Amino acid sequence: MSYAVLEQKLKMVSEQDFDFVSHFLDLVLQSRKKADAEQKNNAEYFAMLDHSFSQLEQGETVVKSMAELRAMEQ
């Protein structure tokens, strides 16, 4: 919905209901921003997983046991 259409619809809201509608729109916008941020984080995470699987398929990984890793710590 374009800003102009939204503006026209807001003009139709009665003055007594305006605060409620305004608060509701703020909640919707905050929710949308949060969803967009989560979607971006998910996309980045899935890209990282894709890269990791690609490395695994190409044999670009190193396998160590926990005992070997502990030995490397010391």
Side-chain angles (χ1 to χ4, degrees), residues 15-45:
E15 200 170 312
Q16 69 188 42
D17 294 334
F18 190 82
D19 286 340
F20 172 79
V21 171
S22 176
H23 181 66
F24 176 76
L25 289 175
D26 285 343
L27 291 174
V28 169
L29 290 174
Q30 288 174 0
S31 176
R32 179 61 187 213
K33 285 180 183 178
K34 183 178 178 184
D36 288 346
E38 288 176 2
Q39 187 175 21
K40 179 183 176 207
N41 289 340
N42 286 343
E44 291 172 357
Y45 179 72

Side-chain angles (χ1 to χ4, degrees), residues 3 8 10 14 23 25 28 30 32 35 39 47 52 59 61 70:
Y3 181 78
Q8 287 176 347
L10 284 174
S14 68
H23 181 66
L25 289 175
V28 169
Q30 288 174 0
R32 179 61 187 213
Q39 187 175 21
S52 295
T61 57
R70 287 188 181 110

